[in-house]
C-alpha cells in the first residue's frame, strides 16, 4: 500500500494507472499535475485524482510513488522540475514508449538521485487520448517493460515489478537499447507506415472516393494511424535511428515483392505471401517471450 501517488501528466496512461491503483486498493491518495489547469480539474472531477497540484514538484511532495506520464520530449524538463524531491526510497517511474532518450535525460539531470528512477513502458494504450478515457482496466493482461540501470535501487525495481503485476501486467526487463530496437520493429515502424499510407491515400485525386469503398481490412490496417500526432512525432524522432533501420528492412522486403510482380513471378510471390501468412498465423498477442533480454 502506498500513501500517495504523485501523478505528473493527467492523461490516458497516467489516469488509468491512478484508477488501477485505486481499484486495487494500493494507494490512499492521488495528487495530480498537468500543464493544463483544466485537465487537472477534469481529472479531479472524474475522481482520477484526489488533489490538484499547482506544479510537478508539489505533486511529488509527500508522495512515496511517482508516475511521470508526459510526452517523451518533456521528460528532461520534468526531471529538472522535480529533481530536488527525488529522494531515496521513493519509487519514480515513467511510461515513455522510448527508453534510451529518457534514460539519458535522467542521467544528465538526476545524477546521484538516479537510483530512485525505474524506467517503464507499459504496452497499452488507445487511439484516443485524454483523461476522460482513463480506464482502471487499461493495463489488465498487458506487458510492461522495465529497463532498470546498473545504478537503480534493487528494492525499487522489485517495488515497480510488484505494483505493475498488481494492476494486471506481465513484467519483463530489458536494457534501454534492446527495448528501443525491439519496439522500433513491432510498434514504431507500423505507426510510421500507417501514417504514410493514409497520407498517400489522402493525396490522390480520387482518394476520398477510394476511402468510401474501404472495408474491415482497411479499418484494421489503418487503426493506429489515428494516434496522437504530438506523441508519435516525439517517439519517431527520439528513436529515429532504430526506426530508420527497420524502415530500410521493410523497404527491401517491399521492393522484392514489387520485383516479383513486375516479372510476373507468381511462384516466388506466392512463396513470400505464404511465409508472411505462416508467420502471422503463428503469432499470438500476449505470448510470453522465450527469452527476456537483459
Amino acid at each position: 500500500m502506498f500513501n500517495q501517488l504523485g501523478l505528473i501528466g493527467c492523461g490516458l496512461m497516467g489516469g488509468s494507472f491512478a484508477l488501477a491503483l485505486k481499484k486495487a486498493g494500493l494507494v490512499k491518495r492521488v495528487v495530480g499535475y498537468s500543464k493544463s489547469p483544466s485537465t487537472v480539474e477534469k481529472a479531479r472531477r472524474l475522481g482520477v485524482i484526489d488533489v490538484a497540484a499547482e506544479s510537478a514538484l508539489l505533486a511529488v511532495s509527500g508522495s512515496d510513488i511517482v508516475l511521470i506520464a508526459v510526452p517523451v520530449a518533456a521528460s528532461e524538463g520534468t526531471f529538472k522540475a522535480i529533481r530536488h524531491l527525488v529522494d531515496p526510497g521513493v519509487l519514480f517511474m515513467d511510461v515513455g514508449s522510448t527508453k534510451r532518450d529518457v534514460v539519458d535525460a535522467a542521467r544528465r539531470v538526476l545524477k546521484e538521485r538516479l537510483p530512485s528512477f525505474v524506467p517503464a513502458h507499459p504496452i497499452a494504450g488507445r487511439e484516443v487520448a485524454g483523461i476522460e478515457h482513463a480506464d482502471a482496466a487499461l493495463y489488465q493482461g498487458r506487458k510492461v517493460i522495465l529497463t532498470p540501470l546498473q545504478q537503480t535501487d534493487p528494492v525499487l525495481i522489485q517495488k515497480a515489478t510488484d505494483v505493475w503485476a498488481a494492476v494486471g501486467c506481465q513484467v519483463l526487463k530489458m536494457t534501454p537499447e534492446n527495448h528501443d530496437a525491439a519496439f522500433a520493429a513491432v510498434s514504431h515502424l507500423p505507426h510510421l507506415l500507417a501514417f504514410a499510407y493514409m497520407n498517400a491515400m489522402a493525396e490522390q485525386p480520387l482518394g476520398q472516393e477510394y476511402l468510401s469503398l474501404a472495408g474491415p481490412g482497411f479499418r484494421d490496417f489503418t487503426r493506429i494511424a489515428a494516434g496522437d500526432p504530438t506523441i508519435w512525432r516525439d517517439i519517431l524522432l527520439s528513436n529515429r535511428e532504430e526506426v530508420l533501420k527497420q524502415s530500410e528492412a521493410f523497404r527491401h522486403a517491399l521492393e522484392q515483392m514489387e520485383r516479383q510482380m513486375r516479372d510476373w513471378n507468381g511462384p516466388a510471390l506466392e512463396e513470400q505471401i505464404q511465409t508472411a501468412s505462416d508467420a502471422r498465423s503463428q503469432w499470438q498477442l500476449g505470448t510470453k517471450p522465450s527469452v527476456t533480454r537483459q
Side-chain angles (χ1 to χ4, degrees), residues 125-142:
R126 292 177 178 163
E127 291 69 55
V128 290
I131 192 65
E132 62 272 21
H133 300 292
D135 181 359
L138 183 70
Y139 300 112
Q140 282 286 338
R142 301 301 182 94

Side-chain angles (χ1 to χ4, degrees), residues 70-74 129 195 226-238:
V70 300
V72 290
F195 298 141
D228 183 279
T230 301
I231 291 174
W232 279 100
R233 174 201 65 198
D234 289 349
I235 291 171
L236 293 175
L237 288 176
S238 63

Side-chain angles (χ1 to χ4, degrees), residues 179-280:
H179 169 279
D180 285 3
F183 283 90
V186 300
S187 176
H188 306 163
L189 177 67
H191 278 83
L192 177 66
L193 298 180
F195 298 141
Y197 173 65
M198 286 304 303
N199 288 339
M201 288 292 294
E203 290 167 3
Q204 296 183 47
L206 295 178
Q208 291 302 314
E209 182 178 332
Y210 296 159
L211 288 173
S212 70
L213 302 173
F218 175 88
R219 177 198 62 204
D220 295 344
F221 182 78
T222 61
R223 176 183 59 81
I224 55 176
D228 183 279
T230 301
I231 291 174
W232 279 100
R233 174 201 65 198
D234 289 349
I235 291 171
L236 293 175
L237 288 176
S238 63
N239 201 26
R240 61 191 177 279
E241 292 182 9
E242 293 295 343
V243 176
L244 289 171
K245 287 180 186 177
Q246 292 299 326
S247 180
E248 184 177 349
F250 169 79
R251 197 184 309 274
H252 174 74
L254 180 62
E255 288 174 349
Q256 187 177 32
M257 297 185 76
E258 288 175 341
R259 185 165 55 251
Q260 292 160 355
M261 292 169 64
R262 291 191 188 97
D263 295 343
W264 286 89
N265 191 342
L269 181 62
E270 182 178 352
E271 183 179 349
Q272 291 290 315
I273 296 170
Q274 186 66 57
T275 298
S277 178
D278 290 345
R280 181 59 179 81

Side-chain angles (χ1 to χ4, degrees), residues 3 5 22 27-32 43-44 47-52:
N3 287 317
L5 166 66
K22 286 187 171 188
V27 69
K28 294 178 181 177
R29 185 170 85 147
V30 178
V31 177
R44 190 194 61 78
V48 176
I49 65 174
D50 303 303
V51 179

Side-chain angles (χ1 to χ4, degrees), residues 93-159:
M93 299 185 292
D94 76 316
V95 294
S97 296
T98 57
K99 297 273 63 99
R100 279 184 297 185
D101 55 332
V102 174
V103 164
D104 287 345
R107 285 192 175 110
R108 285 192 297 270
V109 176
L110 299 182
K111 298 180 180 177
E112 73 278 1
R113 300 170 188 258
L114 188 61
S116 293
F117 180 52
V118 182
H121 175 203
I123 316 304
R126 292 177 178 163
E127 291 69 55
V128 290
I131 192 65
E132 62 272 21
H133 300 292
D135 181 359
L138 183 70
Y139 300 112
Q140 282 286 338
R142 301 301 182 94
K143 294 183 177 72
V144 62
I145 313 296
L146 303 183
T147 62
L149 309 176
Q150 189 174 4
Q151 302 97 314
T152 309
D153 184 343
V155 173
L156 294 181
I157 297 174
Q158 188 59 53
K159 277 189 180 181

